[in-house]
């Protein structure tokens, strides 16, 4: 699977067919309608790329609409983050709308349904309704309210709005078909009484429209042409169409469903993500282990990598689980091209250069990005004391180990050949220091006499290296599909999803702005975190260099 050049999927085919049949492409309107009750995650990014993509490809418009008709869990904090995340992903909404701003019009639409004899006030309690509803095999029976006159229904509905009845005492139902094989069509509730302040409208309303009634209206009010949503709404589509037909909207929007994105080793339900945050399993919505857009951003994932990933997974009606390794592959593809290279040492081991010349040596030159000649070069200081990676030395090397070992030689990246002549162990037997000679003739890492050195390792000059915290992230969950087999998903959290290493980095990397993403050579990609101080940088590992997806799929 390589990245598609031109996007083609069953939704785009539908759009193309409509255009071929005469629809003006510039008239295409789509919308992305999140409920502001949580932060956006990578699943939302799939919907965003589709909604905004289809509009952009045709010269149409895509709105960002806050689906804020359920006041219980919504908040401006979420609204602000959603707007920021959509923009960060690279999309500018044609308009930013709030479903709650349509409450007056929705209320009028409900009145219209009542006048048409297509809605009625029902006094049955939820428990009573369960009996009336029927089952998949038996039809329901009529609520006593079904027989009410238009006048009585209008009067009761107004009194619902005016706060005369307790929460839950009455609902407004669409009058559809109590025998429908689709339970959603058995006189669904379209308005309920709830005395909860709305974050935008305060206590103005005590009746709120239900999603299945509100959503088609929001789409129709905005002139939406394609209302794209996930597969779980397929069984709601007959009701979506019923509402638009009953209210006689000309050229009504069309709902088309596609499969949700599921990713291995993470969860995507807002309820579960909220639980991870509230119960402090993670540091917040933007914890770099979270699948949220803000978490991915803080981890160092470029927006372009998320868009690339969405192009690769495509859009289908098939419910599957996408391997996290594919997302990581897309991240590497983007960062390999764009991230400047630096040296960083994660688990430092000191190296003393025993033949370091009294006069010092001239600075070395390193390429900033071998993938991009335009990125230029920088100077590296060699020195009498260096840091190398602990794992780049073995006192008793195993077969096939080509890095440092007693009396063995290795190349320092952009530096010199060094040979280990001695090493020091502490009381516990751990190697704490190496003594090495360097070969002045191998400057720049080139062989002076044709002798072969297989290993090349990264290193830092201990005199100038800046101590840094390196947060090493791994999968948040050990299970590929947390909670899928009925297990409590929290018991499948990966206890090693974050380890902290106290390492060192090049001064130039330490001085970067928070949010900058670099490659520490041989280790991986890292984003400088906002937790950094002027003296002490903190880097979040975005992803290592090893591409397990490419290997599996080549
Ligand atoms: P919840 O987790 O509470 O069920 P939700 O994920 O459905 O919420 P919404 O805010 O209602 O969140 O979603 C906004 C839009 O994003 C909807 O059109 C929804 O279909 C789409 N969407 C949500 N999750 C995914 C996903 N995993 N893959 C693709 N699209 C998604
Ligand atoms: Mg939803």
């Amino acid at each position: 699977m390589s990245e598609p050049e031109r996007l083609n999927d069953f939704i785009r085919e539908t759009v193309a067919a409509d255009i071929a049949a005469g629809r003006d492409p510039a008239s295409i309107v789509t919308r992305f309608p999140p409920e502001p009750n949580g932060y956006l995650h990578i699943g939302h990014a799939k919907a965003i790329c589709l909604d905004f993509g289809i509009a952009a490809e045709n010269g149409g418009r895509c709105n960002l609409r806050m689906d804020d008709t359920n006041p219980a869990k919504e908040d401006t904090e979420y609204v602000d983050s959603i707007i920021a995340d959509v923009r960060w992903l690279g999309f500018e909404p044609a308009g930013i709308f709030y479903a709650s701003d349509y409450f007056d019009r929705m209320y009028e639409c409900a009145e219209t349904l009542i006048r048409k004899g297509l809605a009625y006030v029902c006094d049955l309690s939820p428990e009573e309704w369960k009996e009336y509803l029927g089952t998949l095999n038996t039809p329901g029976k009529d609520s006593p309210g079904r027989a009410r006159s238009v006048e009585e229904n209008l009067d009761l509905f107004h009194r619902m709005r005016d706060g005369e009845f307790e929460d839950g005492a009455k609902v407004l139902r669409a009058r559809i078909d109590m025998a429908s094989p689709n339970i959603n069509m058995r006189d669904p509730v379209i308005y309920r009484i709830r005395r909860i302040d709305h974050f935008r409208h305060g206590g103005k309303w005590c009746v709120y429209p239900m999603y299945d009634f509100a959503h088609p209206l929001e789409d129709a009010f905005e002139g939406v042409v394609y209302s794209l949503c996930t597969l779980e709404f397929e069984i709601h589509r007959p009701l979506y169409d019923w509402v638009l037909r009953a209210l006689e909207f000309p050229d009504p929007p069309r709902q088309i469903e596609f499969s949700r994105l599921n990713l291995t080793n993470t969860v995507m339900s807002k309820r579960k993500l909220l639980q991870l945050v509230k119960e402090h399993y993670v540091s917040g919505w933007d914890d770099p282990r979270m699948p949220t857009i803000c978490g991915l951003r803080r981890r160092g994932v470029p927006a372009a990598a998320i868009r690339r990933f969405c192009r690769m997974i495509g859009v289908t009606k098939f419910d599957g689980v996408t391997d996290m390794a594919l997302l990581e592959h897309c991240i590497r593809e983007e960062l390999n091209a764009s991230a400047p290279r630096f040296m960083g040492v994660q688990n430092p081991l000191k190296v003393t250069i025993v033949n370091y010349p009294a006069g010092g040596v001239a600075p070395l030159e390193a390429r900033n990005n071998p993938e991009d000649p335009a990125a230029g070069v920088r100077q590296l200081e060699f020195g009498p004391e260096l840091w190398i990676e602990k794992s780049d030395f073995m006192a008793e090397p195993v077969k096939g180990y080509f890095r440092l070992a007693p009396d063995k030689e290795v190349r320092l990246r952009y530096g010199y050949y060094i040979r280990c002549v001695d090493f020091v162990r502490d009381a516990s037997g751990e190697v704490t220091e190496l003594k090495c000679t360097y070969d002045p003739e191998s400057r720049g890492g080139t062989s002076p006499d044709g002798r072969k050195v297989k290993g090349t390792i990264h290193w830092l000059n201990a005199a100038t290296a800046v101590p840094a915290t390196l947060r090493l992230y791994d999968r948040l969950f050990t299970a590929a599909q947390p909670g899928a087999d009925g297990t409590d998903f929290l018991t499948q959290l990966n206890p090693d999803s974050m380890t902290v290493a106290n390492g060192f980095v090049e001064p130039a990397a330490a001085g970067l702005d928070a949010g900058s993403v670099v490659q520490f050579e041989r280790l991986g990609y890292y984003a400088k975190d906002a937790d950094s101080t002027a003296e002490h940088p903190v880097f979040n590992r975005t992803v290592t260099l090893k591409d397990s997806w490419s290997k599996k799929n080549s």
Side-chain angles (χ1 to χ4, degrees):
M1 181 160 64
S2 62
E3 207 192 327
E5 299 211 331
R6 234 184 95 254
L7 291 171
N8 193 20
D9 52 62
F10 76 99
I11 296 179
R12 287 177 166 91
E13 276 168 17
T14 303
V15 173
D18 286 356
I19 293 170
R23 176 172 299 282
D24 172 10
S27 76
I28 289 175
V29 180
T30 58
R31 88 290 172 259
F32 172 64
E35 182 176 359
N37 62 353
Y39 283 67
L40 297 183
H41 52 60
I42 182 133
H44 291 115
K46 173 178 178 176
I48 290 169
C49 288
L50 180 65
D51 294 324
F52 282 90
I54 285 191
E57 287 155 28
N58 292 290
R61 291 179 292 129
C62 179
N63 294 333
L64 172 58
R65 182 203 309 143
M66 302 300 160
D67 212 336
D68 58 349
T69 57
N70 175 5
K73 298 180 195 155
E74 298 162 356
D75 199 84
T76 41
E77 173 198 351
Y78 300 130
V79 169
D80 295 342
S81 75
I82 289 169
I83 295 171
D85 287 350
V86 167
R87 290 201 167 123
W88 179 77
L89 276 172
F91 301 102
E92 187 55 42
I96 297 177
F97 299 107
Y98 295 82
S100 62
D101 289 350
Y102 307 134
F103 278 163
D104 286 292
R105 290 168 80 182
M106 291 177 186
Y107 182 84
E108 285 165 23
C109 286
E111 282 185 329
T112 304
L113 288 186
I114 295 174
R115 283 201 195 89
K116 288 179 149 210
L118 293 175
Y120 64 90
V121 173
C122 170
D123 325 284
L124 294 176
S125 68
E127 295 73 41
E128 287 169 319
W129 179 252
K130 262 189 210 137
E131 269 174 53
Y132 279 76
L133 182 61
T135 67
L136 281 176
N137 305 313
T138 55
K141 55 182 180 182
D142 287 3
S143 157
R146 217 175 200 262
R148 284 195 165 112
S149 68
V150 167
E151 289 66 36
E152 194 185 350
N153 278 318
L154 278 177
D155 175 58
L156 286 171
F157 187 47
H158 292 163
R159 287 160 59 193
M160 281 170 64
R161 175 199 58 193
D162 295 340
E164 266 189 47
F165 310 114
E166 292 296 297
D167 285 17
K170 295 191 184 334
V171 293
L172 186 70
R173 291 188 180 280
R175 193 174 200 276
I176 309 181
D177 178 4
M178 286 308 292
S180 171
N182 183 339
I183 301 273
N184 288 309
M185 298 298 274
R186 294 188 189 174
D187 292 12
V189 176
I190 57 175
Y191 259 95
R192 58 182 171 159
I193 307 173
R194 285 206 93 171
R195 281 178 182 75
I196 301 185
D197 279 0
H198 190 279
F199 74 98
R200 284 173 66 79
H201 304 281
K204 178 176 176 196
W205 295 91
C206 69
V207 289
Y208 289 100
M210 300 298 286
Y211 178 89
D212 281 339
F213 178 63
H215 205 85
L217 295 181
E218 296 156 21
D219 286 341
F221 295 157
E222 291 176 18
V224 165
V225 176
Y226 302 108
S227 178
L228 311 177
C229 62
T230 36
L231 281 178
E232 70 271 21
F233 292 103
E234 197 161 17
I235 50 164
H236 297 252
R237 188 176 355 121
L239 181 50
Y240 181 97
D241 291 339
W242 182 91
V243 169
L244 297 173
R245 233 182 5 256
L247 291 161
E248 296 172 60
F249 283 98
D251 196 12
R254 172 164 168 201
Q255 175 177 307
I256 306 176
E257 309 86 14
F258 62 94
S259 62
R260 298 178 86 82
L261 168 68
N262 299 301
L263 260 189
T264 56
N265 304 93
T266 192
V267 291
M268 220 90 87
S269 127
K270 277 191 257 184
R271 184 181 58 77
K272 289 181 177 169
L273 294 175
L274 183 66
Q275 193 178 356
L276 292 175
V277 173
K278 284 264 152 79
E279 296 175 16
H280 305 290
Y281 292 102
V282 294
S283 66
W285 286 98
D286 68 346
D287 187 300
R289 292 166 292 183
M290 292 280 271
T292 49
I293 302 301
C294 55
L296 293 166
R297 176 168 63 226
R298 187 164 174 195
R299 181 139 170 183
V301 175
I306 297 176
R307 295 194 303 263
R308 176 192 286 259
F309 171 72
C310 290
R311 285 196 298 276
M312 280 188 81
I313 56 174
V315 178
T316 67
K317 276 194 177 280
F318 171 73
D319 255 324
V321 184
T322 301
D323 194 330
M324 182 70 92
L326 175 59
L327 174 60
E328 292 171 347
H329 167 80
C330 293
I331 297 168
R332 289 186 190 97
E333 291 282 295
E334 289 294 332
L335 290 178
N336 182 42
S338 65
R341 272 59 168 172
F342 290 98
M343 302 283 195
V345 173
Q346 210 148 272
N347 292 297
L349 173 62
K350 182 170 280 181
V351 171
T352 302
I353 302 295
V354 294
N355 62 338
Y356 191 79
V361 304
L364 297 153
E365 196 176 88
R367 274 178 288 162
N368 288 330
N369 184 350
E371 299 289 318
D372 176 13
V377 295
R378 70 185 186 288
Q379 291 198 330
L380 284 181
E381 299 280 341
F382 194 61
E385 283 190 345
L386 312 175
W387 295 117
I388 66 164
E389 209 66 61
K390 252 187 195 133
S391 57
D392 283 335
F393 174 78
M394 279 185 100
E396 290 102 29
V398 296
K399 200 166 169 277
Y401 187 81
F402 297 119
R403 289 167 275 165
L404 261 187
D407 205 36
K408 289 281 190 307
E409 203 172 31
V410 79
R411 177 190 295 108
L412 297 178
R413 176 89 162 142
Y414 298 121
Y416 295 93
Y417 289 5
I418 59 170
R419 177 180 300 275
C420 175
V421 294
D422 197 6
F423 62 95
V424 182
R425 288 188 203 261
D426 67 10
S428 71
E430 201 186 335
V431 176
T432 53
E433 190 188 338
L434 306 184
K435 313 260 186 212
C436 295
T437 55
Y438 87 108
D439 178 356
E441 300 303 311
S442 63
R443 187 178 164 81
T446 52
S447 174
D449 53 8
R451 78 180 184 274
K452 281 221 171 71
V453 167
K454 275 199 178 160
T456 299
I457 65 172
H458 58 279
W459 58 281
L460 284 166
N461 176 3
T464 55
V466 178
T469 297
L470 303 169
R471 296 175 179 154
L472 312 179
Y473 295 110
D474 199 346
R475 309 283 153 93
L476 185 51
F477 291 89
T478 50
Q481 297 184 61
D485 54 0
T487 323
D488 176 3
F489 77 110
L490 292 172
T491 64
Q492 297 173 320
L493 277 162
N494 177 5
D496 302 317
S497 60
M498 179 175 87
T499 50
V500 175
N502 295 307
F504 292 94
V505 299
E506 258 184 76
L512 293 168
D513 293 336
S516 305
V517 185
V518 302
Q519 183 192 102
F520 287 132
E521 297 216 19
R522 295 182 65 234
L523 295 179
Y525 297 99
Y526 294 72
K528 191 170 175 206
D529 194 81
D531 285 346
S532 302
T533 62
E535 299 76 38
H536 191 92
V538 176
F539 283 90
N540 301 328
R541 186 171 69 195
T542 316
V543 66
T544 61
L545 295 178
K546 205 161 57 209
D547 193 330
S548 57
W549 187 84
S550 276
K551 225 182 247 160
K552 242 187 349 199
N553 294 273
S554 60

